[in-house]
Amino acid sequence: MAEAVKMLYPEARACVQAMKQYHPPLGCRDSLRLDFNENTLACSPKVREALTAITTGALTRYPEREPVEAIVAAQLGLKPEQVSLTNGVDEAIHVLFEAFLDSGDELLLPVPTYTMYEVYVSATDARAVTVQAADDLLFPFEQLIAAITPRTKIIAVANPNSPSGSIATREQLLEIARLAPHAILLVDEAYYHFYGQTVMDMVGVVPNLMVARTFSKAYGLAGLRLGLLAGPAELMRWVRCVLSPYSVNSMALACLPAALKDTDYLDWYVGEVLAARGEFETVLDAVGVRRWPSCANFVLVDIGARHAEFVRLMREAGVLVRDRSSDPGCDGRVRITIGTQEQMRGAAEALKKTMATLRAGEIS
């Protein structure tokens, strides 16, 4: 029997072979979606109107992002050359890292935080330097300042942070930018609408400040993949060198102005989430589940050693939640997205029954 011939293929770059990978637990998400911090209800009805107005002929043309970028920039009080729309905030992070991180550079991160920062830096020749938050998961400001070196090229701060829901103050962020003038401070404001405070107004004023936003959360456009990166024009010109001119599709571009214009719907949904968060936190306290204070549309809770069983039981009860035990310093902790008040009242009942089941098992 002839020996099997070993097939030879070109090898990927060494850094790609060593990349940290992210595998979201998607699939069969027909239950109450409290696992990915999405809008749990629907986007603005104005978006559906915009979708139905798209002609088949319009889909034959390549997308033009510049007119919509001008609309977004005007709403943010910025110049068009200071804003780029991206294919979700993930692309914003990816192209920023590709544009600025080189061999020997460092990405400075407070952890735990959004997983994709480390994924994207691992595709470059730079390295991630992490600063672990204490058990309270508050922003480790002093420790982060102490970790800045001449090799620090980008400092990424999710504000509010995920999975903790904690925040860095405006004063802290501006001080970081001042103390690291040789580095870019990226402030990722994915959950801005649930917090209400921003540094977007300092874009172009602080020369090394860049701000990212997403339309996947409060706006409910996760399926259209829309994000943005804002920064000084002098830095954005290099981002555009890396950014694909057609990465944002025509349907997303057609829908975004309608979503931006419907402020009544946005305000209603955010108000629902904030009210529901307060109610749900009261339930968590009454049940005796430890939680961390949150300024976002989710709450991190401490389930302990039976966290995987908790996630399974909640899923069986029709509620999807996210196990964050693999995050640095988060063993036994689960993140629960906050939806509308009606949705969260149902989730609260599922939580009570699940915790009763777990505690009954401990007693037996």
Side-chain angles (χ1 to χ4, degrees):
M1 186 174 181
E3 289 187 17
V5 178
K6 183 178 180 180
M7 300 296 291
L8 297 177
Y9 299 97
E11 290 192 353
R13 294 162 56 213
C15 67
V16 173
Q17 294 184 46
M19 270 184 71
K20 181 174 183 178
Q21 296 188 31
Y22 175 66
H23 299 287
L26 294 171
C28 192
R29 299 183 65 228
D30 295 332
S31 303
L32 177 55
R33 299 174 288 109
L34 305 185
D35 52 346
F36 275 85
N37 300 343
E38 302 154 319
N39 178 311
T40 60
L41 191 64
C43 61
S44 161
K46 300 295 183 182
V47 171
R48 177 179 286 275
E49 294 176 13
L51 275 172
T52 58
I54 298 173
T55 66
T56 54
L59 295 179
T60 66
R61 298 193 294 266
Y62 283 105
E64 296 182 52
R65 62 178 7 125
E66 289 82 3
V68 184
E69 284 175 341
I71 294 171
V72 174
Q75 187 186 67
L76 296 175
L78 299 175
K79 300 174 182 177
E81 58 266 29
Q82 294 176 313
V83 175
S84 281
L85 289 173
T86 57
N87 192 289
V89 76
D90 283 358
E91 187 186 34
I93 298 166
H94 192 187
V95 297
L96 178 65
F97 289 8
E98 288 291 326
F100 288 98
L101 290 176
D102 209 342
S103 178
D105 290 340
E106 294 176 351
L107 167 71
L108 186 56
L109 289 174
V111 294
T113 191
Y114 183 44
T115 305
M116 295 306 294
Y117 301 135
E118 290 196 68
V119 171
Y120 288 134
V121 72
S122 67
T124 73
D125 292 320
R127 73 183 189 100
V129 175
T130 60
V131 176
Q132 179 67 50
D135 186 64
D136 58 16
L137 297 182
L138 295 178
F139 180 60
F141 174 67
E142 296 294 341
Q143 297 92 322
L144 195 73
I145 291 295
I148 296 172
T149 74
R151 294 181 298 279
T152 305
K153 191 65 171 290
I154 298 179
I155 305 168
V157 178
N159 199 46
N161 187 37
S162 177
S164 64
S166 61
I167 55 96
T169 66
R170 178 184 174 92
E171 292 73 22
Q172 288 173 330
L173 293 170
L174 296 180
E175 181 66 359
I176 292 169
R178 186 186 72 80
L179 292 173
H182 59 290
I184 291 170
L185 171 62
L186 171 65
V187 181
D188 184 348
E189 296 185 343
Y191 303 101
Y192 154 72
H193 294 93
F194 307 103
Y195 175 43
Q197 298 189 39
T198 181
V199 290
M200 187 70 80
D201 59 304
M202 300 304 291
V203 167
V205 178
V206 176
N208 59 335
L209 173 67
M210 304 188 84
V211 179
R213 292 264 182 97
T214 181
F215 299 97
S216 296
K217 310 302 181 184
Y219 284 100
L221 302 179
L224 289 178
R225 309 307 303 127
L226 267 172
L228 71 83
L229 185 64
E234 294 76 11
L235 298 182
M236 291 301 298
R237 65 186 287 247
W238 300 118
V239 169
R240 288 193 179 91
C241 287
V242 181
L243 182 63
S244 166
Y246 305 124
S247 61
V248 179
N249 68 74
S250 296
M251 289 187 291
L253 292 171
C255 291
L256 183 54
L260 292 173
K261 191 173 181 180
D262 195 354
T263 56
D264 287 344
Y265 183 84
L266 181 69
D267 291 344
W268 172 81
Y269 182 75
V270 170
E272 271 287 307
V273 169
L274 296 182
R277 189 181 70 195
E279 286 186 19
F280 193 70
E281 287 173 336
T282 299
V283 171
L284 290 170
D285 294 343
V287 174
V289 175
R290 182 190 180 195
R291 63 176 175 85
W292 282 261
S294 175
C295 292
N297 66 329
F298 54 83
V299 177
L300 187 70
V301 298
D302 189 1
I303 301 301
R306 302 179 72 182
H307 54 90
E309 188 177 358
F310 173 85
V311 172
R312 177 181 62 80
L313 290 171
M314 289 290 283
R315 182 175 64 248
E316 291 175 359
V319 181
L320 303 177
V321 295
R322 188 78 180 273
D323 194 334
R324 302 306 317 191
S325 289
S326 61
D327 289 4
C330 287
D331 188 33
R333 297 170 187 179
V334 174
R335 190 188 66 198
I336 304 174
T337 302
I338 303 297
T340 65
Q341 293 180 78
E342 180 181 356
Q343 288 173 332
M344 296 313 296
R345 286 165 189 158
E349 292 306 310
L351 174 94
K352 292 174 186 176
K353 293 176 182 177
T354 295
M355 292 307 301
T357 299
L358 291 179
R359 287 167 178 165
E362 291 174 356
I363 294 172
S364 61

